[in-house]
């Protein structure tokens, strides 16, 4: 369950950061922000940022007491 929550938070983080950086025309260097087609829409996305954000969110959920 923690992994699913982390993937959702990682996706939100990726979308917001990629939107801010990518809207300025930058690829973000190592972040490799690119336009990804989702049906009829183009979404700015970064797989390295998604993996890092998901890992960070997962680690934060593990630190919380149950």
């Amino acid at each position: 369950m923690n992994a699913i929550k982390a993937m959702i938070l990682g996706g939100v983080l990726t979308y917001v950061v990629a939107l801010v950086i990518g809207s300025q025309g930058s690829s973000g260097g190592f972040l490799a922000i690119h336009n990804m087609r989702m049906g009829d829409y183009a979404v700015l996305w970064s797989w390295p940022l998604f993996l890092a954000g998901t890992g960070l969110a997962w680690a934060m959920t593990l630190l919380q007491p149950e």
Side-chain angles (χ1 to χ4, degrees):
M1 187 67 177
N2 285 338
I4 294 171
K5 289 187 229 176
M7 288 173 57
I8 293 169
L9 291 173
V12 170
L13 174 72
T14 300
Y15 179 72
V16 170
V17 172
L19 184 64
V20 170
I21 294 174
S23 65
Q24 302 299 319
S26 175
S27 67
F30 178 72
L31 296 178
I33 297 171
H34 62 281
N35 281 325
M36 185 173 84
R37 301 294 296 174
M38 294 185 82
D40 293 336
Y41 301 101
V43 177
L44 291 166
W45 191 254
S46 169
W47 286 110
L49 183 58
F50 174 72
L51 294 175
T54 301
L56 179 65
W58 185 59
M60 290 173 62
T61 59
L62 289 178
L63 290 175
Q64 295 177 355
E66 301 219 17

